[in-house]
Amino acid sequence: MKRAEKTKYSFGIKGRIVLYFTAFVLLMLVIIFVVQIALVRSFYSRTRLRELDKISSMLSDCAGSDNMEERAYSLAANYKICVLIFETGSIGNGSETVSVESSPVCIIHHLPDNILEQYYEKALANGGKTVDTFGMYRPDGTDDAPEPSKGSIGRHGGLIKAVSVNIADGADGKKYVVFVDSEFTPYKTVDSLITYQFIWLSGLIIIFAVIAAALFSVNISKPLTEMNEAAKKLAKGDYETGFKPKGYRETIELAETLNYAAEEIRRSDALQKELVANVSHDLRTPLTMISGYAEVMRDIPGENTPENVQVIIDEAGHLTDLVNDMLDLSKIEAGTKKPEKTVFNLTEAIGEVIDRYSRFSLHDSFDICFEADGDVSVCADKTMIIQTVYNLVNNAINYAGDNKMVTVRQKLLRDAEDNAGQMTGKSCVRISVTDYGEGIPPEKLRDIWERYYKVDRSHKRAHVGTGLGLSIVKNNLQLHGARYGVESTLGKGSTFWFELETVADKENS
Ligand code: ADP
């Protein structure tokens, strides 16, 4: 058989697992990076704005009280903020009630009075509160002289600042405007910290992922690789190869399936070899006899006797039997032979088979008797059943004892058992064929039903059979769902039997 073309696969299971695993980890890292950087900025800004609002509220709460200035200083120190508190009528740098400047890049301390006034107006219009944010540029790279650039919170390459304006009712009955200036600068630090951390973490995760994927893939692919090697050996004809069921569920199942397949291949290979050996042997023996006798009859005057012609006829008949048996069996085994059931008188059919036997001069000396307890009809494939009886009687004759007696019995069973030994309540007929020959050793009783099985391969020429007879019997009976069996005692003889449901019973049921 031509070997299948070898397909080249660029990527094995190991490579694939490592690739998918690494791709998955990379995708996760990208998602984490994007989400983290984006979220951390808005999260940080929101936290800072909330903090600014809280500080403004705290300062507003103590506006006009005795500890207003002290509170402003402590909050400024704690939160790194700048504070300006004016009475509402006197907004403008220089006229403040409290001024704390803790950062060199403070905005509120550098805003012109009119802008401060504008903020107050805005807060007033906004229900007493307003917040504004700025990106600050430091063109000279110093912390001094920042140039505020109004805009949304974001990266401006420099400082991010927020100014909150709160109008408060003071404890002393006056109205105050509280300006708080806060820095949002840690962006860059946080950014670079996260990025730095992320790069290290990503590196480590990728290394671990590749190692883990490599280990996984070796683990996953190992049983498959081993099985592949074993399968290659099997393909080369090493039928003793076994597949080790190990690894995970799928590979264990695969190994079991392959072991089963290998066992079947072994079996069919052995059968095929045995078949060739048997067939060639069984064909050669009669052919040698035929040609031998024919040559003798041609070359030696006076040898052209009816006895010699009979030998040739017998051997040719044997060949025909063999070929017919082989064809029958192959048809049954291929499933093309199906029983064509008809109702027929079984007693009569068996009687005819036995009559035919007694007509053969060869079997004249045999005493074949048929004991039937009545006329029984069955619904079955007549040809198959006759063939079954014929094969059993044939065997009984071939292996009969010195008394040359064969008994065929037909017995009606009112309440027959089924295959599980349960009473069926149905009527069956049991046909048994008994001989009084050498019998079959108990350990061989199971094997005799196998095709080409012969208990004694060196048996006498007169007993040469095809080794297919009982196999055909078994297949025929199984196709009818019939019970069958054999009882044998060494030295005393054997009884082969089978049971069929009778027709009357079928009609009643
Ligand atoms: P064969 O053509 O060799 O008889 P069978 O399949 O009919 O093949 O039988 C298988 C083997 O079973 C025989 O070779 C023989 O060894 C054994 N056997 C069958 N019938 C009998 C019997 N009645 N007595 C003893 N042995 C038997």
Side-chain angles (χ1 to χ4, degrees):
M1 198 171 52
K2 199 176 162 240
R3 237 183 123 224
E5 284 280 308
K6 219 177 170 185
T7 322
K8 287 250 174 270
Y9 298 105
S10 51
F11 246 49
I13 188 166
K14 281 190 212 163
R16 253 164 220 268
I17 292 175
V18 173
L19 185 78
Y20 291 155
F21 211 73
T22 315
F24 175 74
V25 168
L26 282 177
L27 183 74
M28 284 296 127
L29 286 174
V30 169
I31 292 173
I32 291 170
F33 183 79
V34 170
V35 168
Q36 206 182 18
I37 297 294
L39 281 186
V40 86
R41 281 186 198 154
S42 72
F43 181 73
Y44 183 76
S45 306
R46 251 182 276 133
T47 315
R48 286 296 282 168
L49 279 174
R50 233 179 289 129
E51 204 174 79
L52 186 64
D53 189 48
K54 203 175 85 189
I55 297 165
S56 296
S57 301
M58 284 195 286
L59 283 169
S60 305
D61 288 349
C62 64
S65 68
D66 295 341
N67 65 347
M68 175 169 65
E69 192 159 359
E70 191 192 327
R71 191 90 175 105
Y73 273 99
S74 80
L75 284 171
N78 284 346
Y79 292 100
K80 273 193 150 283
I81 51 164
C82 299
V83 181
L84 265 178
I85 304 176
F86 300 97
E87 280 184 31
T88 43
S90 56
I91 296 171
N93 273 312
S95 58
E96 64 270 355
T97 316
V98 177
S99 165
V100 188
E101 188 172 1
S102 62
S103 160
V105 284
C106 175
I107 291 174
I108 48 173
H109 281 88
H110 297 90
L111 286 176
D113 293 349
N114 66 324
I115 303 280
L116 287 174
E117 194 67 46
Q118 273 177 20
Y119 269 125
Y120 167 68
E121 299 289 338
K122 198 175 168 191
L124 206 59
N126 206 28
K129 258 186 188 187
T130 187
V131 179
D132 217 349
T133 51
F134 301 87
M136 308 282 288
Y137 294 98
R138 287 186 192 125
D140 54 0
T142 65
D143 276 352
D144 298 323
E147 282 182 25
S149 135
K150 213 163 159 290
S152 60
I153 295 176
R155 283 181 104 182
H156 290 268
L159 287 172
I160 308 287
K161 305 246 7 174
V163 169
S164 108
V165 186
N166 257 26
I167 300 169
D169 293 325
D172 53 4
K174 296 176 187 166
K175 277 202 177 264
Y176 291 91
V177 194
V178 180
F179 287 88
V180 181
D181 175 306
S182 170
E183 237 181 67
F184 280 29
T185 27
Y187 279 145
K188 238 192 154 174
T189 331
V190 172
D191 258 11
S192 55
L193 185 77
I194 289 177
T195 315
Y196 180 73
Q197 208 183 23
F198 188 82
I199 290 170
W200 269 101
L201 212 65
S202 308
L204 281 177
I205 289 176
I206 289 173
I207 291 170
F208 278 126
V210 171
I211 294 174
L215 290 177
F216 277 157
S217 61
V218 168
N219 207 322
I220 290 174
S221 64
K222 203 174 165 205
L224 287 175
T225 318
E226 283 179 10
M227 258 182 264
N228 189 24
E229 289 307 315
K232 279 183 195 162
K233 282 191 199 160
L234 186 72
K236 281 181 188 152
D238 179 0
Y239 299 129
E240 292 313 309
T241 312
F243 296 87
K244 286 187 201 131
K246 62 180 186 181
Y248 34 100
R249 186 165 51 83
E250 285 82 357
T251 48
I252 292 174
E253 275 179 20
L254 179 63
E256 284 168 359
T257 314
L258 287 172
N259 274 332
Y260 176 72
E263 183 56 45
E264 286 299 298
I265 295 174
R266 270 196 287 277
R267 227 171 64 90
S268 100
D269 183 62
L271 275 177
Q272 203 180 336
K273 281 183 183 147
E274 202 183 306
L275 181 105
V276 173
N278 277 307
V279 169
S280 49
H281 171 264
D282 286 349
L283 289 177
R284 207 179 312 122
T285 316
L287 283 174
T288 316
M289 295 279 279
I290 291 170
S291 59
Y293 270 79
E295 277 171 25
V296 167
M297 285 159 67
R298 183 195 62 196
D299 300 338
I300 305 172
E303 279 300 321
N304 201 346
T305 61
E307 291 78 22
N308 284 348
V309 174
Q310 188 60 46
V311 172
I312 291 175
I313 291 169
D314 287 347
E315 292 301 332
H318 185 71
L319 272 178
T320 314
D321 285 350
L322 181 69
V323 171
N324 285 342
D325 280 1
M326 279 165 55
L327 283 177
D328 276 349
L329 199 63
S330 69
K331 265 191 235 160
I332 295 172
E333 285 182 350
T336 52
K337 194 167 173 181
K338 297 260 172 333
E340 282 168 29
K341 293 187 180 179
T342 51
V343 176
F344 66 93
N345 189 320
L346 181 68
T347 321
E348 254 178 48
I350 296 175
E352 281 166 21
V353 173
I354 290 165
D355 267 3
R356 227 177 294 149
Y357 265 106
S358 26
R359 258 183 261 131
F360 280 140
S361 57
L362 182 67
H363 302 300
D364 265 350
S365 50
F366 278 88
D367 182 5
I368 306 168
C369 69
F370 180 35
E371 298 169 7
D373 59 353
D375 247 9
V376 176
S377 289
V378 292
C379 179
D381 186 311
K382 192 173 178 183
T383 322
M384 281 186 177
I385 297 302
I386 288 180
Q387 187 184 33
T388 303
V389 176
Y390 179 86
N391 283 0
L392 291 180
V393 174
N394 216 22
N395 276 354
I397 290 169
N398 279 341
Y399 302 99
D402 294 335
N403 66 0
K404 294 196 167 183
M405 257 183 68
V406 172
T407 314
V408 181
R409 284 191 189 88
Q410 175 206 293
K411 195 167 187 302
L412 259 167
L413 307 169
R414 290 281 163 222
D415 188 7
E417 288 177 15
D418 62 11
N419 282 328
Q422 300 289 317
M423 293 305 180
T424 56
K426 292 174 181 168
S427 285
C428 272
V429 58
R430 177 190 274 236
I431 306 297
S432 60
V433 181
T434 307
D435 66 72
Y436 306 91
E438 60 199 47
I440 304 162
E443 69 277 10
K444 305 280 167 71
L445 282 178
R446 261 177 58 134
D447 297 333
I448 53 170
W449 304 97
E450 296 302 318
R451 56 181 186 168
Y452 291 112
Y453 188 84
K454 292 175 184 177
V455 172
D456 177 10
R457 283 168 190 272
S458 60
H459 52 48
K460 288 171 276 173
R461 176 76 195 118
H463 287 181
V464 165
T466 60
L468 294 174
L470 286 182
S471 192
I472 291 171
V473 167
K474 179 180 87 171
N475 280 302
N476 279 352
L477 293 173
Q478 278 177 350
L479 281 176
H480 282 84
R483 270 164 43 92
Y484 64 92
V486 55
E487 281 127 32
S488 186
T489 315
L490 270 182
K492 290 203 169 164
S494 319
T495 299
F496 283 81
W497 59 268
F498 64 89
E499 288 174 7
L500 289 172
E501 216 175 299
T502 55
V503 160
D505 213 67
K506 270 194 180 263
E507 280 162 2
N508 292 342
S509 62

